[in-house]
C-alpha cells in the first residue's frame, strides 16, 4: 500500500520535563490530532500513517502505527494519545530516540512518499555522537526531521536543534514555554501534513 505521509510524533518524557509539562505535551498532541482541519489535511494526503513515540534514555512506542484515511481516523488517534500514561523519565538520549524512530519507520504499514520525524525537545541530549550518526542515516533514507523546541533552560534549544537535529529541508519551531506549546504544535503539525 502507498501512502502520502508517514509521521512519527516524538514526545519528550525525559527528566527535564516535569509532570505538568508532560501533561501539557500530551494534551496538545491529542487536541491537534482531534482538530478537524488537521484531520482533513491528513486525509487529503491520500493516506497518512501516524505513530507516537516517547523518548528519554529508553524510547518506546506509545501509540502504534495508525492509518488516517478520513478525518475521523485522526480523531481516533487523538483519543489514544489522550490516554497515554508516562512510562518513565530518564536521561535525554536524542540520538538513540531518532535511531529508534528510523527503525520504526521501516515497519510502517505502507510505503510513504514522505517520511517525517517530529521531535519535541527542551534542549540538547546526552549522546551527541549517536545523534550525528542517526541524523546522517535520516538524510540517507530521505527522512525529514523537524523539531519543536521549548525554551525552559538557558541553553539555546532552537539553535542546537537547527545545527544538530533537523535535516536539510526540515525546520525548527519555537515555543517560549510549555504554556505556549499547544499553539506552536498545532501550527507545526498543520504545516507538516499540508506540505507536498
Amino acid at each position: 500500500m502507498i501512502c502520502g505521509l508517514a509521521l512519527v510524533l516524538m514526545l519528550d518524557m525525559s527528566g527535564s520535563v516535569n509532570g505538568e509539562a508532560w501533561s501539557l505535551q500530551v494534551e496538545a498532541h491529542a487536541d491537534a490530532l482531534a482538530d478537524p482541519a488537521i484531520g482533513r489535511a491528513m486525509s487529503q494526503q491520500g493516506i497518512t500513517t501516524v505513530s507516537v513515540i516517547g523518548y528519554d534514555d529508553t524510547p518506546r512506542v506509545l501509540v502504534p502505527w495508525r492509518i488516517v484515511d478520513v478525518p475521523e481516523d485522526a480523531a481516533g488517534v487523538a483519543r489514544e494519545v489522550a490516554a497515554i500514561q508516562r512510562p518513565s523519565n530518564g536521561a535525554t538520549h536524542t540520538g538513540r530516540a531518532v535511531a529508534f524512530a528510523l527503525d520504526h519507520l521501516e515497519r510502517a504499514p505502507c510505503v510513504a512518499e514522505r517520511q517525517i520525524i517530529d521531535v519535541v525537545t527542551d534542549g540538547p541530549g546526552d549522546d551527541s555522537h549517536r545523534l550525528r550518526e542517526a541524523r546522517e542515516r535520516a538524510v540517507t533514507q530521505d527522512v525529514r526531521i523537524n523539531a519543536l523546541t521549548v525554551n525552559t533552560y538557558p541553553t539555546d534549544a532552537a539553535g542546537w536543534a537547527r545545527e544538530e537535529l533537523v535535516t536539510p529541508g526540515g525546520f525548527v519551531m519555537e515555543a517560549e514555554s510549555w504554556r505556549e506549546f499547544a499553539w506552536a504544535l498545532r501550527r507545526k503539525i498543520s504545516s507538516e501534513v499540508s506540505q507536498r
Side-chain angles (χ1 to χ4, degrees):
M1 179 171 61
I2 303 295
C3 58
L5 172 64
L7 176 64
V8 178
L9 300 171
M10 298 191 63
L11 279 61
D12 187 344
M13 60 186 187
S14 65
S16 62
V17 177
N18 64 28
E20 180 184 15
W22 169 256
S23 296
L24 290 169
Q25 193 177 176
V26 170
E27 290 166 9
H29 279 83
D31 289 348
L33 291 166
D35 185 333
I38 289 178
R40 284 192 298 272
M42 284 185 167
S43 62
Q44 288 165 1
Q45 297 295 311
I47 294 174
T48 293
T49 187
V50 60
S51 183
V52 181
I53 289 173
Y55 76 97
D56 51 8
D57 50 6
T58 307
R60 64 202 72 196
V61 176
L62 302 178
V63 177
W65 287 112
R66 299 295 185 233
I67 294 291
V68 177
D69 193 14
V70 296
E72 291 75 15
D73 293 335
V77 180
R79 289 190 290 273
E80 290 190 73
V81 172
I84 288 173
Q85 299 296 311
R86 185 176 190 164
S88 63
N89 61 341
T92 307
H93 286 189
T94 314
R96 182 179 296 176
V98 171
F100 182 89
L102 289 166
D103 290 342
H104 190 55
L105 277 166
E106 293 178 354
R107 297 187 293 272
C110 55
V111 178
E113 296 173 356
R114 295 190 300 131
Q115 300 178 91
I116 296 175
I117 298 173
D118 182 343
V119 182
V120 173
T121 179
D122 60 5
D126 304 320
D127 57 349
S128 57
H129 177 70
R130 192 162 188 172
L131 177 56
R132 284 193 293 272
E133 292 178 346
R135 184 178 179 274
E136 289 171 6
R137 179 182 162 196
V139 172
T140 300
Q141 296 178 200
D142 198 26
V143 176
R144 178 180 294 181
I145 301 175
N146 297 328
L148 172 52
T149 62
V150 184
N151 298 324
T152 56
Y153 291 95
T155 55
D156 179 10
W160 167 79
R162 289 188 185 98
E163 291 294 323
E164 304 291 338
L165 178 59
V166 302
T167 52
F171 63 87
V172 176
M173 191 168 288
E174 297 180 65
E176 289 303 318
S177 69
W178 288 106
R179 290 291 177 184
E180 297 180 14
F181 178 81
W183 176 81
L185 179 72
R186 193 169 301 218
R187 284 184 58 215
K188 185 174 191 295
I189 293 179
S190 294
S191 175
E192 288 168 333
V193 301
S194 299
Q195 293 175 354
R196 290 282 186 176

